[in-house]
Amino acid sequence: MTKGNINVSVENIFPLIKKFLYSDHEIFLRELISNATDATLKLKHLTNVGDAKVEYGNPQIEIKIDKDGKKLHIIDQGLGMTADEVEKYINQVAFSGAEEFLDKYKDSAKDSGIIGHFGLGFYSAFMVAEKVEIITKSYTDAPAAHWTCDGSPEFTLEASDKTDRGTEIILHIAEDSTEFLEDSRITSLLEKYNKFMPIPIKFGTKEVNDPDFTPKTTKDKDGKETTEPHKQITVDNIINNPNPAWTKQPADLEDQNYKDFYRELYPMQFEEPLFNIHLNVDYPFNLTGILYFPKMSNDMQIQKDKIQLYQNQVFVTDNVEGIVPEFLTMLRGVIDSPDIPLNVSRSYLQADGAVKKISSYITRKVADKLKSLFNNNREDFEAKWNDIKIVIEYGMLSEEKFFEKADAFALYPTVDGTYYTYEELFNKIKAKQTDKDDKLVILYASDKDAQHSYIESAKAKGYEVLLLDSPIVSHLIQKLESTKENITFARVDGDHIDNLIKKDETTISKLDEDQKKALDELLKEVIPSEKFMVQLEAMDSDASPFIITQPEFMRRMKEMQATGGGGMNMFGSMPEMHNLVVNTNSELVGEILATKTKKKQERLITQSLDLARLSQGLLKGEELTNFIKRSYEMIK
């Protein structure tokens, strides 16, 4: 038997491991199973190239709990180690970075990346164990070895009578970590971190129906049928899928395979994904994965953190910001890349050159897939537009390269359900909706019902009205206005339609200047100036007498601020101001002016204003009650 000290000059390394990683101490199981997987895959490689004169067979990794003995076993059938290799890899190499680790991390406990980063993966076992044993037999003819360490720098190394190839790690679980002796806790960890590891992982056994047994059905004298119960057999409980869909070639997968894998990833998700994107690249970095577009709501927050990041089929995190462009964090699925370190801080990831390349590759791949979906089946793409638009619009705002590519597939639906690309829209409306200053005015509504009368006024002129109702639409139209030449967006209720698209011809007012001045003074006496700016306009005589609009700039700034960005706080704190457009050619307006009694004039103005407010949903509470009461009295 050999005794010795682990090659580390600082004796308090073990307490530090425990202290620094306590918040994430469950990762010990991921680290040990990763090591076991690595040892098995290395053996597979050696047998494939003929360097190992042994049968690879069908190795698996087994996890066993000995609750009475307070032990957790991780057993593999991989490469194994000789006593010299244990000395080298466990006692020396693992701690080669220990002093650097201490210098860097003794004042902060933020970065759980220290384990993988400094080759300390195996020693994460000491976060939960008071003693660790390694019993290992190399694939060569060398004798087996037995290493023991109790969490101090001292270890023992002696011969073992183990005869089968591979390594068994025995954790003597500490008193403060007995949760890891519970089947349910280990099952949840295996499902979280090891669900798609490339080597089968066995945890206990389970009862299943015997596939070779066919139950017999018999009839009694009355003709009643009875089927005997299915025969049960005990099989290994393999908790992982070693060959998940993303590790296969797209040509080998059908639509149903992608849907089945989505169910595997999200067993509690009952809606089918809309479509998927299979990622597969080996230069200038390695990356595979499958991204799914789920049905989207307009709430951008609750969608995030559903993409799972793996490194060689080992789960790393589902916080993928910095690796996946932010607008795609609302998607679901898997990304797997050996080029992403297993344990690193977020700031490290975001500064890493390989990670930045991965991010731009994913953006390009998603844009190309959307374009091909649009080209191959436009009707289907249009049908799914409302469920995916929030991702595409967010991408157009946040990623310049995506914005450029999106011209080919971003859609602009009208209130009548027609979908245009930007180019199609431009060509459709440029003749009619170009104003006297040669600027193209793109009209849009955000709520078909609330803005119905304004939409109808625009349609009566032969104008197209888009329906743009996502929460970030104000940001998007700002971006389009600054990128496309000589265009402006105007919401249909932003002003009277003749003011939104000004043409050379003007409507003559029926009122002369003195009458307009008298009307203006009369209106301002009755209408609250803190809520409405009165403007007199000569319009068609059959247009509404009073029309309430909200200035485009003010409303847009408020909306942009409400969804983040848009600049100064001043817009959020400003009171709701509306324009009241009064049609000087309306018969009712002429009647108001001609009415002799002040009281009746005021009543007509108040009633007309309230009707305009009612059409905009601005009449509420006591004012609405008074309006209804007054209206009934007028009917009487």
Side-chain angles (χ1 to χ4, degrees):
M1 181 172 81
T2 307
K3 284 191 173 186
N5 271 17
I6 292 161
N7 183 21
V8 54
S9 60
V10 184
E11 297 218 353
N12 62 353
I13 192 79
F14 290 103
L16 271 163
I17 287 174
K18 208 149 192 169
K19 175 192 162 194
F20 275 83
L21 290 161
Y22 190 77
S23 63
D24 203 13
H25 64 328
E26 66 178 36
I27 67 162
F28 81 93
L29 192 61
R30 180 188 78 179
E31 297 292 327
L32 296 179
I33 292 176
S34 295
N35 288 349
T37 302
D38 195 37
T40 311
L41 292 175
K42 279 178 180 166
L43 179 71
K44 184 179 185 180
H45 177 72
L46 291 179
T47 55
N48 284 345
V49 298
D51 279 5
K53 311 295 184 210
V54 290
E55 285 290 317
Y56 178 66
N58 296 299
Q60 61 183 25
I61 295 162
E62 183 175 8
I63 314 300
K64 289 201 297 196
I65 292 174
D66 172 4
K67 203 163 184 178
D68 294 335
K70 293 188 177 177
K71 290 185 283 191
L72 182 68
H73 301 247
I74 294 103
I75 305 158
D76 70 57
Q77 296 157 5
L79 210 58
M81 289 182 282
T82 64
D84 285 347
E85 285 168 338
V86 171
E87 173 67 36
K88 179 179 176 184
Y89 295 120
I90 301 298
N91 295 339
Q92 294 173 22
V93 174
F95 272 102
S96 61
E99 286 177 273
E100 185 186 347
F101 152 67
L102 282 173
D103 289 344
K104 191 163 183 181
Y105 293 107
K106 63 188 173 193
D107 296 325
S108 82
K110 291 175 188 167
D111 189 354
S112 65
I114 51 186
I115 279 198
H117 205 50
F118 289 103
L120 294 166
F122 164 73
Y123 280 92
S124 64
F126 286 97
M127 290 191 291
V128 299
E130 57 191 17
K131 183 168 86 170
V132 178
E133 297 178 67
I134 302 173
I135 302 169
T136 182
K137 170 81 171 69
S138 170
Y139 71 99
T140 65
D141 294 331
H146 184 177
W147 179 93
T148 308
C149 179
D150 63 0
S152 71
E154 294 176 0
F155 69 88
T156 62
L157 181 59
E158 56 191 333
S160 162
D161 56 6
K162 179 176 168 70
T163 55
D164 51 330
R165 177 193 76 217
T167 299
E168 177 174 5
I169 293 173
I170 305 168
L171 309 186
H172 297 258
I173 299 296
E175 283 301 323
D176 62 359
S177 297
T178 53
E179 64 187 278
F180 298 110
L181 294 170
E182 300 297 331
D183 281 14
S184 58
R185 182 73 167 110
I186 296 300
T187 298
S188 71
L189 287 183
L190 292 172
E191 285 178 352
K192 178 177 179 180
Y193 291 112
N194 308 106
K195 195 174 176 180
F196 300 111
M197 295 286 273
I199 306 299
I201 299 169
K202 175 189 172 185
F203 183 48
T205 58
K206 61 182 177 182
E207 298 288 312
V208 297
N209 290 338
D210 183 350
D212 299 323
F213 175 76
T214 307
K216 287 179 183 167
T217 302
T218 55
K219 286 184 183 179
D220 63 16
K221 60 183 186 331
D222 299 323
K224 188 180 177 184
E225 290 189 347
T226 307
T227 304
E228 67 178 317
H230 220 296
K231 186 180 172 187
Q232 299 269 292
I233 56 169
T234 303
V235 296
D236 288 350
N237 179 30
I238 303 298
I239 59 90
N240 61 322
N241 171 3
N243 302 297
W246 85 80
T247 63
K248 299 170 184 174
Q249 289 299 314
D252 299 333
L253 296 167
E254 306 284 335
D255 269 358
Q256 193 55 46
N257 299 124
Y258 287 111
K259 286 176 182 173
D260 291 344
F261 181 55
Y262 186 75
R263 286 272 161 275
E264 207 175 334
L265 285 173
Y266 311 107
M268 301 309 292
Q269 185 64 37
F270 301 113
E271 279 191 303
E272 294 281 350
L274 298 167
F275 48 81
N276 63 270
I277 297 169
H278 198 130
L279 306 168
N280 197 341
V281 65
D282 52 21
Y283 182 81
F285 48 80
N286 286 295
L287 180 133
T288 53
I290 300 170
L291 295 179
Y292 292 92
F293 269 76
K295 279 194 167 191
M296 292 286 172
S297 73
N298 271 351
D299 184 341
M300 292 158 61
Q301 290 310 310
I302 60 167
Q303 308 285 345
K304 293 186 177 182
D305 292 343
K306 296 289 185 187
I307 294 176
Q308 299 174 11
L309 179 68
Y310 288 78
Q311 186 222 61
N312 290 329
Q313 294 175 240
V314 183
F315 176 77
V316 179
T317 181
D318 53 12
N319 177 1
V320 294
E321 282 186 44
I323 301 151
V324 173
E326 193 185 352
F327 77 100
L328 294 177
T329 58
M330 292 182 279
L331 302 189
R332 294 180 180 171
V334 165
I335 289 169
D336 189 334
S337 175
D339 295 329
I340 292 172
L342 197 57
N343 293 297
V344 288
S345 65
R346 302 241 55 75
S347 56
Y348 175 89
L349 269 181
Q350 285 157 5
D352 186 73
V355 170
K356 283 181 178 167
K357 284 180 190 158
I358 287 171
S359 178
S360 60
Y361 164 77
I362 293 170
T363 299
R364 190 177 77 245
K365 187 77 177 175
V366 169
D368 291 346
K369 175 72 173 186
L370 290 167
K371 184 179 177 182
S372 76
L373 285 166
F374 174 74
N375 290 341
N376 294 340
N377 190 343
R378 177 164 179 165
E379 192 179 337
D380 183 58
F381 193 83
E382 287 180 1
K384 289 171 176 169
W385 177 254
N386 273 339
D387 293 315
I388 62 172
K389 67 185 177 191
I390 192 84
V391 176
I392 294 171
E393 290 171 355
Y394 191 18
M396 290 168 74
L397 279 172
S398 57
E399 296 280 333
E400 203 55 48
K401 283 198 166 64
F402 187 81
F403 179 81
E404 290 162 14
K405 284 179 170 279
D407 253 1
F409 54 79
L411 293 177
Y412 300 87
T414 70
V415 289
D416 298 318
T418 306
Y419 291 81
Y420 296 111
T421 63
Y422 181 81
E423 188 180 2
E424 290 165 351
L425 177 70
F426 181 88
N427 291 331
K428 170 81 177 167
I429 67 173
K430 66 180 177 185
K432 276 194 173 173
Q433 289 179 221
T434 301
D435 68 11
K436 63 186 178 62
D437 299 320
D438 213 29
K439 193 161 216 176
L440 182 69
V441 181
I442 301 171
L443 299 173
Y444 73 99
S446 60
D447 185 323
K448 267 203 302 193
D449 293 334
Q451 293 149 11
H452 183 266
S453 62
Y454 301 91
I455 293 167
E456 290 305 304
S457 298
K459 283 164 74 172
K461 297 265 185 187
Y463 298 155
E464 286 281 2
V465 181
L466 301 182
L467 180 62
L468 304 178
D469 57 1
S470 76
I472 53 173
V473 76
S474 298
H475 297 273
L476 181 64
I477 61 182
Q478 200 88 344
K479 168 89 174 169
L480 289 162
E481 285 173 342
S482 64
T483 314
K484 308 289 185 187
E485 277 187 37
N486 215 21
I487 65 153
T488 186
F489 281 77
R491 203 167 86 177
V492 282
D493 59 346
D495 206 333
H496 179 259
I497 190 63
D498 291 339
N499 287 341
L500 291 177
I501 305 179
K502 287 187 173 171
K503 301 291 185 177
D504 284 328
E505 66 270 11
T506 53
T507 306
I508 307 298
S509 176
K510 289 180 181 176
L511 305 183
D512 62 28
E513 289 305 313
D514 289 341
Q515 287 172 311
K516 282 198 271 188
K517 188 177 178 188
L519 177 64
D520 190 48
E521 287 171 0
L522 185 59
L523 292 167
K524 285 177 177 169
E525 282 176 24
V526 181
I527 291 164
S529 60
E530 70 278 6
K531 290 183 179 176
F532 297 99
M533 287 181 66
V534 176
Q535 57 187 73
L536 304 182
E537 294 277 352
M539 297 185 277
D540 294 341
S541 57
D542 57 356
S544 297
F546 282 32
I547 300 169
I548 291 174
T549 64
Q550 190 169 20
E552 175 79 15
F553 173 75
M554 182 70 68
R555 180 190 46 71
R556 204 189 289 184
M557 287 301 122
K558 277 179 172 260
E559 284 175 3
M560 286 171 71
Q561 196 179 314
T563 53
M568 303 156 282
N569 242 350
M570 58 179 278
F571 296 106
S573 57
M574 287 184 80
E576 283 287 325
M577 278 294 289
H578 292 85
N579 293 333
L580 177 65
V581 183
V582 177
N583 181 3
T584 60
N585 289 341
S586 160
E587 194 179 324
L588 176 64
V589 172
E591 195 182 316
I592 290 170
L593 196 58
T595 297
K596 301 298 182 204
T597 67
K598 197 88 166 165
K599 196 170 181 184
K600 190 178 177 188
Q601 279 182 324
E602 286 177 5
R603 199 169 78 240
L604 285 170
I605 292 168
T606 303
Q607 190 72 0
S608 301
L609 174 63
D610 282 354
L611 280 165
R613 292 167 80 191
L614 190 67
S615 75
Q616 274 282 59
L618 295 172
L619 200 58
K620 294 184 175 79
E622 187 182 351
E623 291 176 319
L624 178 58
T625 306
N626 292 339
F627 167 76
I628 293 167
K629 190 176 174 184
R630 186 188 333 122
S631 299
Y632 278 130
E633 285 169 1
M634 288 172 79
I635 293 170
K636 285 190 289 185

